[in-house]
Amino acid sequence: MKVSVYDDVSEFWDRSRPLLLKHEAENCLAIGIVSDLLAGNPASEASNPQPRFWCVESDGAIVAAAIWTPPFPAIVVSCDDEATEQLAARMKEDGANPPGVNALTSTASTFRDAWIRRTKQTAKLKTAMRVYQLDQVHPVRSVPGGLEVAGQNDLSLILAWHRAFMHDVGLDHILTEFSARQRVGRAEIALWRDGEPKCMAGFSGRTPNGIRVNVVYTPPENRRQGWASAAVAALSQRLLDSGLKHCFLFTDLMNPTSNHIYQEMVYRPVADVQEFAFE
Protein backbone atom coordinates (compact mmCIF):
# COMPACT_ATOMS: atom_id res chain seq x y z
CA MET A 1 0.00 0.00 0.00
CA LYS A 2 1.10 3.54 -0.77
CA VAL A 3 0.18 6.50 1.46
CA SER A 4 0.35 10.04 0.08
CA VAL A 5 -0.08 13.36 1.85
CA TYR A 6 -1.56 16.47 0.24
CA ASP A 7 -1.75 20.13 1.20
CA ASP A 8 -3.92 21.05 -1.78
CA VAL A 9 -7.62 20.24 -1.40
CA SER A 10 -8.20 20.07 -5.16
CA GLU A 11 -5.51 17.44 -5.59
CA PHE A 12 -6.88 15.46 -2.66
CA TRP A 13 -10.43 15.62 -4.07
CA ASP A 14 -9.23 14.37 -7.46
CA ARG A 15 -7.67 11.33 -5.80
CA SER A 16 -10.26 10.58 -3.10
CA ARG A 17 -13.48 11.34 -5.02
CA PRO A 18 -14.25 7.72 -6.08
CA LEU A 19 -13.87 6.48 -2.49
CA LEU A 20 -15.88 9.28 -0.88
CA LEU A 21 -18.71 9.25 -3.41
CA LYS A 22 -19.15 5.49 -3.24
CA HIS A 23 -21.27 6.09 -0.13
CA GLU A 24 -22.33 9.73 -0.33
CA ALA A 25 -24.60 9.74 2.72
CA GLU A 26 -22.26 8.07 5.20
CA ASN A 27 -19.35 10.19 3.94
CA CYS A 28 -21.33 13.44 3.80
CA LEU A 29 -19.22 15.08 6.53
CA ALA A 30 -15.93 14.46 4.71
CA ILE A 31 -17.37 15.46 1.33
CA GLY A 32 -18.95 18.56 2.83
CA ILE A 33 -15.67 19.70 4.38
CA VAL A 34 -13.92 19.31 1.03
CA SER A 35 -16.77 21.14 -0.71
CA ASP A 36 -16.57 24.06 1.71
CA LEU A 37 -12.81 24.31 1.30
CA LEU A 38 -13.07 24.20 -2.50
CA ALA A 39 -15.65 26.99 -2.31
CA GLY A 40 -13.35 29.08 -0.15
CA ASN A 41 -15.44 28.65 3.01
CA PRO A 42 -12.90 28.06 5.81
CA ALA A 43 -13.81 25.92 8.80
CA SER A 44 -12.63 28.69 11.10
CA GLU A 45 -10.27 31.68 11.16
CA ALA A 46 -7.75 31.78 8.37
CA SER A 47 -4.96 32.14 10.98
CA ASN A 48 -5.44 28.50 12.00
CA PRO A 49 -3.08 25.86 10.55
CA GLN A 50 -3.84 24.78 7.02
CA PRO A 51 -5.75 21.54 6.50
CA ARG A 52 -3.89 18.38 5.55
CA PHE A 53 -5.06 15.35 3.62
CA TRP A 54 -3.94 11.75 3.19
CA CYS A 55 -4.87 8.94 0.78
CA VAL A 56 -4.02 5.24 0.87
CA GLU A 57 -3.71 3.50 -2.49
CA SER A 58 -3.85 -0.24 -3.10
CA ASP A 59 -3.71 -1.86 -6.55
CA GLY A 60 -4.37 1.49 -8.20
CA ALA A 61 -7.47 2.35 -6.12
CA ILE A 62 -7.85 4.68 -3.15
CA VAL A 63 -9.00 2.57 -0.19
CA ALA A 64 -8.69 5.08 2.66
CA ALA A 65 -8.51 8.84 3.15
CA ALA A 66 -8.15 11.30 6.02
CA ILE A 67 -8.87 14.99 6.43
CA TRP A 68 -7.49 17.07 9.28
CA THR A 69 -8.61 20.68 9.60
CA PRO A 70 -7.10 21.95 12.88
CA PRO A 71 -8.33 22.38 15.56
CA PHE A 72 -10.95 19.73 14.74
CA PRO A 73 -10.61 15.92 14.89
CA ALA A 74 -9.36 13.99 11.89
CA ILE A 75 -12.09 12.64 9.60
CA VAL A 76 -11.22 9.15 8.36
CA VAL A 77 -12.89 7.16 5.59
CA SER A 78 -11.64 3.64 5.00
CA CYS A 79 -12.85 0.36 3.53
CA ASP A 80 -9.89 -1.68 4.79
CA ASP A 81 -8.45 -2.19 8.29
CA GLU A 82 -4.90 -2.51 6.99
CA ALA A 83 -5.31 0.77 5.11
CA THR A 84 -6.54 2.41 8.31
CA GLU A 85 -3.43 1.16 10.12
CA GLN A 86 -1.19 2.52 7.34
CA LEU A 87 -3.01 5.84 7.50
CA ALA A 88 -2.43 6.19 11.24
CA ALA A 89 1.25 5.30 10.84
CA ARG A 90 1.82 7.86 8.08
CA MET A 91 -0.05 10.62 9.89
CA LYS A 92 2.10 10.06 12.98
CA GLU A 93 5.23 10.02 10.80
CA ASP A 94 4.16 13.32 9.21
CA GLY A 95 3.86 14.97 12.62
CA ALA A 96 0.08 15.24 12.63
CA ASN A 97 -1.45 15.65 16.07
CA PRO A 98 -5.23 15.58 15.73
CA PRO A 99 -7.18 15.92 18.98
CA GLY A 100 -9.36 12.98 17.98
CA VAL A 101 -10.86 10.94 15.18
CA ASN A 102 -14.33 10.90 13.62
CA ALA A 103 -15.30 7.93 11.45
CA LEU A 104 -17.76 5.12 10.92
CA THR A 105 -17.83 2.98 14.07
CA SER A 106 -15.57 0.15 12.89
CA THR A 107 -13.06 2.51 11.26
CA ALA A 108 -12.98 4.79 14.30
CA SER A 109 -12.08 1.88 16.59
CA THR A 110 -9.37 0.61 14.25
CA PHE A 111 -7.79 4.04 13.86
CA ARG A 112 -8.06 4.70 17.61
CA ASP A 113 -6.19 1.50 18.44
CA ALA A 114 -3.54 2.11 15.79
CA TRP A 115 -3.04 5.69 16.97
CA ILE A 116 -2.69 4.98 20.69
CA ARG A 117 -0.19 2.17 19.98
CA ARG A 118 2.03 4.67 18.19
CA THR A 119 1.55 7.71 20.41
CA LYS A 120 0.96 6.15 23.85
CA GLN A 121 -2.00 8.50 24.16
CA THR A 122 -5.31 7.38 25.61
CA ALA A 123 -8.69 7.77 23.95
CA LYS A 124 -12.21 8.28 25.21
CA LEU A 125 -15.49 8.10 23.34
CA LYS A 126 -16.93 11.61 22.99
CA THR A 127 -20.02 10.93 20.87
CA ALA A 128 -21.84 8.07 19.19
CA MET A 129 -23.86 9.41 16.28
CA ARG A 130 -26.17 8.12 13.57
CA VAL A 131 -26.23 9.45 10.01
CA TYR A 132 -29.68 9.92 8.48
CA GLN A 133 -30.79 10.65 4.92
CA LEU A 134 -34.04 12.21 3.72
CA ASP A 135 -35.35 12.26 0.15
CA GLN A 136 -38.91 13.50 0.76
CA VAL A 137 -40.33 15.35 3.75
CA HIS A 138 -43.28 13.81 5.59
CA PRO A 139 -45.65 16.46 7.04
CA VAL A 140 -45.22 17.25 10.74
CA ARG A 141 -47.58 18.79 13.29
CA SER A 142 -48.39 22.41 12.46
CA VAL A 143 -47.22 25.04 14.95
CA PRO A 144 -47.54 28.84 14.94
CA GLY A 145 -44.87 30.93 13.28
CA GLY A 146 -42.52 30.29 10.42
CA LEU A 147 -38.92 29.75 9.36
CA GLU A 148 -36.83 32.85 8.62
CA VAL A 149 -33.22 33.18 7.50
CA ALA A 150 -31.11 34.58 10.35
CA GLY A 151 -29.50 38.00 9.95
CA GLN A 152 -26.48 39.74 11.41
CA ASN A 153 -28.70 41.12 14.21
CA ASP A 154 -29.18 37.51 15.37
CA LEU A 155 -25.46 36.83 15.84
CA SER A 156 -25.40 36.99 19.64
CA LEU A 157 -28.38 34.62 19.89
CA ILE A 158 -26.86 32.20 17.38
CA LEU A 159 -23.55 32.14 19.26
CA ALA A 160 -25.27 31.51 22.60
CA TRP A 161 -27.51 28.78 21.20
CA HIS A 162 -24.62 27.12 19.38
CA ARG A 163 -22.61 27.03 22.62
CA ALA A 164 -25.58 25.42 24.39
CA PHE A 165 -26.07 22.99 21.49
CA MET A 166 -22.46 21.81 21.62
CA HIS A 167 -22.68 21.39 25.39
CA ASP A 168 -25.81 19.27 25.00
CA VAL A 169 -24.17 16.91 22.49
CA GLY A 170 -20.89 16.72 24.41
CA LEU A 171 -18.65 18.46 21.89
CA ASP A 172 -16.40 21.47 22.26
CA HIS A 173 -16.11 22.80 18.70
CA ILE A 174 -17.65 26.16 19.58
CA LEU A 175 -18.74 28.42 16.73
CA THR A 176 -16.62 31.57 16.73
CA GLU A 177 -17.99 34.99 15.84
CA PHE A 178 -15.94 34.83 12.63
CA SER A 179 -17.58 31.55 11.60
CA ALA A 180 -21.03 32.73 12.69
CA ARG A 181 -20.75 35.84 10.52
CA GLN A 182 -19.61 33.69 7.60
CA ARG A 183 -22.53 31.29 7.99
CA VAL A 184 -25.10 34.02 8.43
CA GLY A 185 -23.68 35.79 5.39
CA ARG A 186 -24.19 32.62 3.36
CA ALA A 187 -27.78 32.29 4.71
CA GLU A 188 -26.93 28.92 6.31
CA ILE A 189 -28.72 29.56 9.62
CA ALA A 190 -32.49 29.86 10.06
CA LEU A 191 -34.69 30.62 13.06
CA TRP A 192 -38.25 29.52 13.68
CA ARG A 193 -40.03 32.64 14.90
CA ASP A 194 -43.40 32.99 16.55
CA GLY A 195 -42.95 36.56 17.68
CA GLU A 196 -39.63 35.65 19.32
CA PRO A 197 -37.15 33.07 18.00
CA LYS A 198 -38.12 29.61 19.25
CA CYS A 199 -35.38 27.38 17.81
CA MET A 200 -32.52 27.27 15.34
CA ALA A 201 -31.54 25.03 12.42
CA GLY A 202 -28.79 25.32 9.84
CA PHE A 203 -27.10 23.56 6.98
CA SER A 204 -23.64 23.27 5.45
CA GLY A 205 -21.38 20.85 3.63
CA ARG A 206 -22.73 20.51 0.10
CA THR A 207 -22.28 17.11 -1.55
CA PRO A 208 -22.92 16.42 -5.25
CA ASN A 209 -26.53 15.45 -4.52
CA GLY A 210 -27.27 16.69 -1.02
CA ILE A 211 -26.43 18.82 1.99
CA ARG A 212 -26.14 18.37 5.75
CA VAL A 213 -28.71 19.82 8.15
CA ASN A 214 -27.05 20.74 11.44
CA VAL A 215 -27.03 22.91 14.60
CA VAL A 216 -30.66 22.06 15.38
CA TYR A 217 -31.23 23.59 18.81
CA THR A 218 -34.22 24.52 20.95
CA PRO A 219 -33.65 26.18 24.34
CA PRO A 220 -35.10 24.18 27.25
CA GLU A 221 -38.02 26.54 27.85
CA ASN A 222 -39.23 26.03 24.26
CA ARG A 223 -38.91 22.25 24.04
CA ARG A 224 -41.70 19.73 23.46
CA GLN A 225 -43.76 22.29 21.56
CA GLY A 226 -42.99 21.05 18.03
CA TRP A 227 -40.77 23.99 17.08
CA ALA A 228 -37.70 21.94 16.14
CA SER A 229 -39.70 19.43 14.11
CA ALA A 230 -41.35 22.26 12.19
CA ALA A 231 -38.03 24.05 11.61
CA VAL A 232 -36.18 20.97 10.36
CA ALA A 233 -39.09 19.92 8.14
CA ALA A 234 -39.39 23.41 6.62
CA LEU A 235 -35.62 23.77 6.14
CA SER A 236 -35.31 20.30 4.62
CA GLN A 237 -38.15 21.06 2.21
CA ARG A 238 -36.51 24.33 1.15
CA LEU A 239 -33.25 22.52 0.47
CA LEU A 240 -34.98 19.82 -1.60
CA ASP A 241 -36.95 22.50 -3.47
CA SER A 242 -33.65 24.16 -4.38
CA GLY A 243 -32.80 21.13 -6.51
CA LEU A 244 -31.01 18.86 -4.03
CA LYS A 245 -31.94 15.18 -3.96
CA HIS A 246 -31.07 14.47 -0.32
CA CYS A 247 -30.70 16.05 3.10
CA PHE A 248 -28.41 14.44 5.66
CA LEU A 249 -28.10 14.92 9.40
CA PHE A 250 -26.38 13.43 12.44
CA THR A 251 -28.13 12.57 15.68
CA ASP A 252 -26.81 11.63 19.11
CA LEU A 253 -27.60 7.96 19.74
CA MET A 254 -28.09 8.79 23.42
CA ASN A 255 -30.98 11.10 22.52
CA PRO A 256 -33.98 8.91 21.60
CA THR A 257 -36.24 11.96 21.21
CA SER A 258 -34.30 13.48 18.30
CA ASN A 259 -33.93 10.11 16.60
CA HIS A 260 -37.70 9.57 16.81
CA ILE A 261 -38.51 13.09 15.58
CA TYR A 262 -36.35 12.79 12.47
CA GLN A 263 -37.64 9.36 11.59
CA GLU A 264 -41.18 10.77 11.67
CA MET A 265 -40.11 13.09 8.85
CA VAL A 266 -38.83 10.02 6.97
CA TYR A 267 -35.17 10.65 7.69
CA ARG A 268 -33.90 7.08 7.43
CA PRO A 269 -30.82 5.74 9.25
CA VAL A 270 -27.76 5.10 7.09
CA ALA A 271 -24.75 4.41 9.32
CA ASP A 272 -23.31 4.90 12.82
CA VAL A 273 -20.35 7.17 13.54
CA GLN A 274 -18.12 7.60 16.58
CA GLU A 275 -15.80 10.38 17.66
CA PHE A 276 -12.92 9.59 19.99
CA ALA A 277 -10.84 12.23 21.78
CA PHE A 278 -7.11 11.57 22.22
CA GLU A 279 -5.58 12.53 25.56
Side-chain angles (χ1 to χ4, degrees), residues 43-94:
S44 54
E45 288 82 351
S47 60
N48 283 337
Q50 291 298 306
R52 301 175 73 184
F53 313 91
W54 292 262
C55 285
V56 182
E57 181 180 341
S58 178
D59 296 328
I62 299 301
V63 294
I67 301 169
W68 182 34
T69 54
F72 304 106
I75 309 297
V76 176
V77 175
S78 179
C79 55
D80 183 281
D81 284 349
E82 182 182 352
T84 306
E85 292 270 355
Q86 294 292 325
L87 198 55
R90 178 59 186 269
M91 290 173 68
K92 175 64 169 62
E93 180 183 322
D94 290 339

Coordinates of all heavy atoms in Angstrom, one line a residue, residues 43-94:
A43 N -13.2 26.5 7.6 CA -13.8 25.9 8.8 C -13.8 26.9 10.0 O -14.7 26.9 10.8 CB -13.1 24.6 9.2
S44 N -12.8 27.7 10.0 CA -12.6 28.7 11.1 C -11.7 29.8 10.6 O -11.4 29.9 9.4 CB -12.1 28.0 12.4 OG -11.0 27.3 12.1
E45 N -11.1 30.6 11.5 CA -10.3 31.7 11.2 C -9.1 31.2 10.3 O -8.5 30.2 10.5 CB -9.7 32.4 12.4 CG -10.7 33.2 13.2 CD -11.6 32.3 14.1 OE1 -11.5 31.1 14.1 OE2 -12.3 32.9 14.9
A46 N -8.8 32.1 9.3 CA -7.7 31.8 8.4 C -6.4 31.7 9.0 O -5.5 31.1 8.5 CB -7.7 32.9 7.3
S47 N -6.2 32.2 10.3 CA -5.0 32.1 11.0 C -4.7 30.7 11.5 O -3.5 30.4 11.9 CB -4.9 33.1 12.1 OG -6.0 32.8 13.1
N48 N -5.7 29.9 11.5 CA -5.4 28.5 12.0 C -4.6 27.7 11.0 O -4.5 28.1 9.8 CB -6.8 27.8 12.2 CG -7.5 28.2 13.5 OD1 -6.8 28.7 14.4 ND2 -8.8 28.0 13.5
P49 N -3.9 26.7 11.5 CA -3.1 25.9 10.6 C -3.9 25.4 9.4 O -5.1 25.1 9.4 CB -2.6 24.7 11.4 CG -2.7 25.2 12.8 CD -3.9 26.2 12.8
Q50 N -3.2 25.2 8.2 CA -3.8 24.8 7.0 C -4.2 23.3 7.1 O -3.6 22.5 7.8 CB -2.9 25.0 5.8 CG -2.6 26.4 5.5 CD -3.9 27.1 5.1 OE1 -4.6 26.7 4.2 NE2 -4.2 28.2 5.7
P51 N -5.3 22.9 6.5 CA -5.8 21.5 6.5 C -4.7 20.6 5.8 O -4.0 21.1 4.9 CB -7.1 21.5 5.8 CG -7.2 22.8 5.1 CD -6.3 23.8 5.7
R52 N -4.8 19.4 6.2 CA -3.9 18.4 5.6 C -4.7 17.2 5.2 O -5.7 16.9 5.8 CB -2.7 18.0 6.5 CG -1.9 19.2 6.9 CD -0.8 18.7 7.9 NE 0.2 17.9 7.3 CZ 1.2 17.4 8.0 NH1 1.3 17.5 9.3 NH2 2.2 16.7 7.4
F53 N -4.3 16.5 4.2 CA -5.1 15.4 3.6 C -4.1 14.2 3.3 O -3.0 14.4 2.9 CB -5.8 15.8 2.3 CG -6.5 17.1 2.4 CD1 -5.8 18.3 2.1 CD2 -7.8 17.2 2.8 CE1 -6.4 19.5 2.2 CE2 -8.4 18.4 2.9 CZ -7.8 19.6 2.6
W54 N -4.7 13.0 3.5 CA -3.9 11.7 3.2 C -4.8 10.8 2.4 O -6.0 10.7 2.6 CB -3.5 11.0 4.5 CG -2.5 11.8 5.3 CD1 -1.1 11.6 5.3 CD2 -2.7 12.8 6.2 NE1 -0.5 12.4 6.2 CE2 -1.5 13.2 6.8 CE3 -3.9 13.4 6.7 CZ2 -1.3 14.2 7.8 CZ3 -3.7 14.5 7.7 CH2 -2.5 14.8 8.2
C55 N -4.2 10.0 1.5 CA -4.9 8.9 0.8 C -4.0 7.7 0.8 O -2.8 7.7 0.8 CB -5.1 9.3 -0.7 SG -6.4 10.5 -1.0
V56 N -4.7 6.5 0.9 CA -4.0 5.2 0.9 C -4.4 4.5 -0.4 O -5.6 4.4 -0.7 CB -4.4 4.4 2.1 CG1 -3.6 3.0 2.0 CG2 -4.1 5.1 3.4
E57 N -3.5 4.1 -1.2 CA -3.7 3.5 -2.5 C -3.3 2.0 -2.4 O -2.2 1.7 -1.9 CB -2.9 4.2 -3.6 CG -3.2 3.6 -5.0 CD -2.4 4.4 -6.0 OE1 -2.0 5.5 -5.8 OE2 -2.2 3.8 -7.1
S58 N -4.2 1.2 -3.0 CA -3.8 -0.2 -3.1 C -4.3 -0.7 -4.5 O -5.5 -0.6 -4.8 CB -4.6 -1.0 -2.0 OG -4.3 -2.4 -2.1
D59 N -3.4 -1.3 -5.2 CA -3.7 -1.9 -6.5 C -4.4 -0.8 -7.4 O -5.3 -1.1 -8.2 CB -4.6 -3.1 -6.4 CG -3.9 -4.3 -5.7 OD1 -2.7 -4.4 -5.8 OD2 -4.6 -5.0 -5.0
G60 N -3.9 0.4 -7.3 CA -4.4 1.5 -8.2 C -5.6 2.2 -7.7 O -6.1 3.1 -8.4
A61 N -6.2 1.8 -6.6 CA -7.5 2.4 -6.1 C -7.2 3.0 -4.7 O -6.4 2.4 -3.9 CB -8.6 1.3 -6.0
I62 N -7.9 4.1 -4.5 CA -7.8 4.7 -3.1 C -8.8 3.9 -2.2 O -10.0 3.8 -2.5 CB -8.2 6.2 -3.2 CG1 -7.3 6.9 -4.1 CG2 -8.2 6.8 -1.8 CD1 -5.8 6.9 -3.7
V63 N -8.2 3.4 -1.1 CA -9.0 2.6 -0.2 C -9.2 3.2 1.2 O -9.9 2.7 2.0 CB -8.3 1.2 0.0 CG1 -8.4 0.4 -1.3 CG2 -6.9 1.3 0.5
A64 N -8.5 4.4 1.4 CA -8.7 5.1 2.7 C -8.3 6.5 2.4 O -7.4 6.8 1.6 CB -7.9 4.4 3.8
A65 N -8.8 7.4 3.2 CA -8.5 8.8 3.2 C -8.7 9.5 4.5 O -9.6 9.0 5.3 CB -9.4 9.5 2.1
A66 N -8.0 10.6 4.8 CA -8.1 11.3 6.0 C -8.1 12.8 5.7 O -7.3 13.2 4.9 CB -7.1 10.9 7.0
I67 N -8.9 13.5 6.5 CA -8.9 15.0 6.4 C -8.6 15.5 7.8 O -9.3 15.1 8.8 CB -10.2 15.5 5.9 CG1 -10.6 14.9 4.5 CG2 -10.3 17.0 5.9 CD1 -12.0 15.2 4.1
W68 N -7.7 16.4 8.0 CA -7.5 17.1 9.3 C -7.5 18.6 9.1 O -6.6 19.1 8.4 CB -6.2 16.6 9.9 CG -6.0 17.2 11.3 CD1 -7.0 17.5 12.2 CD2 -4.8 17.6 11.9 NE1 -6.4 18.1 13.3 CE2 -5.1 18.2 13.2 CE3 -3.4 17.6 11.5 CZ2 -4.1 18.7 14.0 CZ3 -2.5 18.0 12.3 CH2 -2.8 18.6 13.6
T69 N -8.5 19.2 9.6 CA -8.6 20.7 9.6 C -8.5 21.2 11.0 O -9.5 21.2 11.8 CB -9.9 21.1 9.0 OG1 -11.0 20.5 9.7 CG2 -10.0 20.8 7.5
P70 N -7.3 21.5 11.5 CA -7.1 21.9 12.9 C -8.0 23.1 13.2 O -8.2 24.0 12.3 CB -5.6 22.4 12.9 CG -5.0 21.6 11.8 CD -6.0 21.5 10.7
P71 N -8.6 23.2 14.4 CA -8.3 22.4 15.6 C -9.3 21.2 15.7 O -9.5 20.7 16.8 CB -8.6 23.4 16.7 CG -9.7 24.2 16.1 CD -9.5 24.3 14.7
F72 N -9.9 20.8 14.6 CA -10.9 19.7 14.7 C -10.3 18.3 14.7 O -9.2 18.2 14.2 CB -12.0 19.9 13.6 CG -12.6 21.3 13.6 CD1 -12.3 22.2 12.7 CD2 -13.5 21.6 14.6 CE1 -12.8 23.5 12.7 CE2 -14.1 22.9 14.7 CZ -13.7 23.8 13.7
P73 N -11.1 17.3 15.0 CA -10.6 15.9 14.9 C -10.4 15.5 13.4 O -10.9 16.2 12.5 CB -11.8 15.1 15.5 CG -12.6 16.0 16.3 CD -12.4 17.3 15.6
A74 N -9.6 14.5 13.2 CA -9.4 14.0 11.9 C -10.6 13.2 11.5 O -11.2 12.5 12.2 CB -8.2 13.1 11.9
I75 N -11.0 13.4 10.2 CA -12.1 12.6 9.6 C -11.5 11.5 8.8 O -10.7 11.8 7.9 CB -13.0 13.5 8.7 CG1 -13.4 14.8 9.5 CG2 -14.2 12.8 8.2 CD1 -14.2 14.6 10.7
V76 N -11.8 10.3 9.0 CA -11.2 9.1 8.4 C -12.3 8.4 7.6 O -13.3 8.0 8.2 CB -10.5 8.2 9.4 CG1 -9.9 7.0 8.7 CG2 -9.3 9.0 10.0
V77 N -12.0 8.0 6.4 CA -12.9 7.2 5.6 C -12.0 6.0 5.1 O -11.0 6.2 4.5 CB -13.5 7.9 4.4 CG1 -14.3 7.0 3.5 CG2 -14.3 9.1 4.8
S78 N -12.5 4.8 5.4 CA -11.6 3.6 5.0 C -12.5 2.4 4.8 O -13.5 2.2 5.4 CB -10.6 3.3 6.1 OG -9.8 2.2 5.7
C79 N -12.1 1.6 3.8 CA -12.9 0.4 3.5 C -12.0 -0.8 3.8 O -12.3 -2.0 3.4 CB -13.4 0.3 2.1 SG -12.1 0.6 0.8
D80 N -10.9 -0.6 4.6 CA -9.9 -1.7 4.8 C -9.1 -1.4 6.1 O -8.6 -0.3 6.3 CB -8.9 -1.7 3.6 CG -7.9 -2.9 3.7 OD1 -6.9 -2.7 4.5 OD2 -8.1 -3.9 3.0
D81 N -9.1 -2.4 7.0 CA -8.5 -2.2 8.3 C -7.0 -2.0 8.1 O -6.4 -1.1 8.8 CB -8.7 -3.4 9.2 CG -10.1 -3.4 9.8 OD1 -10.8 -2.4 9.7 OD2 -10.5 -4.5 10.4
E82 N -6.3 -2.7 7.2 CA -4.9 -2.5 7.0 C -4.6 -1.1 6.5 O -3.6 -0.5 6.9 CB -4.4 -3.5 6.0 CG -2.9 -3.4 5.8 CD -2.3 -4.4 4.8 OE1 -3.1 -5.3 4.3 OE2 -1.1 -4.3 4.4
A83 N -5.5 -0.6 5.6 CA -5.3 0.8 5.1 C -5.5 1.8 6.2 O -4.7 2.8 6.3 CB -6.3 1.0 4.0
T84 N -6.4 1.5 7.2 CA -6.5 2.4 8.3 C -5.3 2.4 9.2 O -4.8 3.5 9.6 CB -7.7 2.0 9.1 OG1 -8.9 1.9 8.3 CG2 -8.0 2.9 10.3
E85 N -4.7 1.3 9.4 CA -3.4 1.2 10.1 C -2.3 2.0 9.4 O -1.6 2.7 10.1 CB -3.0 -0.3 10.2 CG -3.9 -1.2 11.1 CD -3.5 -1.2 12.5 OE1 -2.4 -0.6 12.8 OE2 -4.2 -1.8 13.4
Q86 N -2.2 1.8 8.1 CA -1.2 2.5 7.3 C -1.4 4.0 7.4 O -0.5 4.8 7.5 CB -1.2 2.1 5.9 CG -0.8 0.6 5.7 CD 0.7 0.4 6.0 OE1 1.5 1.2 5.7 NE2 1.0 -0.8 6.5
L87 N -2.7 4.4 7.4 CA -3.0 5.8 7.5 C -2.6 6.4 8.8 O -1.9 7.5 8.9 CB -4.5 6.0 7.4 CG -5.1 7.3 7.0 CD1 -4.5 7.9 5.7 CD2 -6.6 7.2 6.8
A88 N -2.8 5.7 9.9 CA -2.4 6.2 11.2 C -0.9 6.3 11.3 O -0.4 7.3 11.9 CB -3.0 5.3 12.3
A89 N -0.2 5.3 10.8 CA 1.2 5.3 10.8 C 1.8 6.5 10.1 O 2.7 7.2 10.6 CB 1.8 4.0 10.3
R90 N 1.3 6.8 8.9 CA 1.8 7.9 8.1 C 1.5 9.2 8.7 O 2.3 10.1 8.7 CB 1.3 7.8 6.7 CG 1.7 8.9 5.8 CD 3.3 9.0 5.6 NE 3.7 10.2 4.9 CZ 3.8 10.2 3.5 NH1 3.6 9.1 2.8 NH2 4.2 11.3 2.9
M91 N 0.3 9.4 9.3 CA -0.1 10.6 9.9 C 0.9 10.9 11.1 O 1.3 12.0 11.3 CB -1.5 10.6 10.3 CG -2.5 10.6 9.2 SD -4.2 10.4 9.6 CE -4.5 11.9 10.5
K92 N 1.2 9.9 11.9 CA 2.1 10.1 13.0 C 3.5 10.4 12.5 O 4.1 11.3 13.0 CB 2.2 8.8 13.8 CG 3.2 8.8 14.9 CD 2.9 9.8 16.0 CE 3.7 9.7 17.2 NZ 5.2 9.9 16.9
E93 N 3.9 9.8 11.4 CA 5.2 10.0 10.8 C 5.3 11.5 10.3 O 6.4 12.1 10.4 CB 5.5 9.0 9.7 CG 6.8 9.2 8.9 CD 6.9 8.2 7.8 OE1 6.5 7.1 7.9 OE2 7.4 8.6 6.7
D94 N 4.2 12.0 9.8 CA 4.2 13.3 9.2 C 4.0 14.4 10.3 O 3.9 15.6 10.0 CB 3.0 13.5 8.2 CG 3.3 12.7 6.9 OD1 4.4 12.4 6.6 OD2 2.3 12.4 6.2

